[in-house]
Amino acid sequence: MTVNQQYALDAYRAAQRGETPGPAPGLHDWTALRELRDYRRFEAVLAGRPARGRIRAALARRFSAGRRPAAGC
């Protein structure tokens, strides 16, 4: 039985009992992955490891932008 078939069966049973069905499979996958990524980054910071990825690149751009001379000066 596939995940979608199991969901359909569970939704049918919930409707028969007057209950609300659970969330559809795959509905919150991206949210869960984002939360896992954020948790791993948080744990890395607590362990004293440097930030990686987009956050580090954004911080590097922000702090290095202040050191460049202004245009036209």
Side-chain angles (χ1 to χ4, degrees):
M1 182 179 294
T2 66
V3 173
N4 290 330
Q5 290 171 339
Q6 182 65 47
Y7 173 74
L9 182 61
D10 291 341
Y12 173 76
R13 287 179 182 161
Q16 294 296 315
R17 297 177 184 165
E19 301 170 355
T20 57
L27 186 63
H28 300 291
D29 287 353
W30 289 113
T31 304
L33 289 175
R34 259 186 240 108
E35 289 177 5
L36 178 63
R37 180 196 63 201
D38 292 343
Y39 176 74
R40 286 184 177 169
R41 287 181 178 171
F42 177 72
E43 288 292 320
V45 169
L46 290 181
R49 295 190 304 266
R52 302 243 188 263
R54 293 183 301 180
I55 294 174
R56 183 177 184 177
L59 288 173
R61 280 193 306 268
R62 181 180 180 121
F63 289 120
S64 66
R67 295 183 183 156
R68 283 186 258 161
C73 291

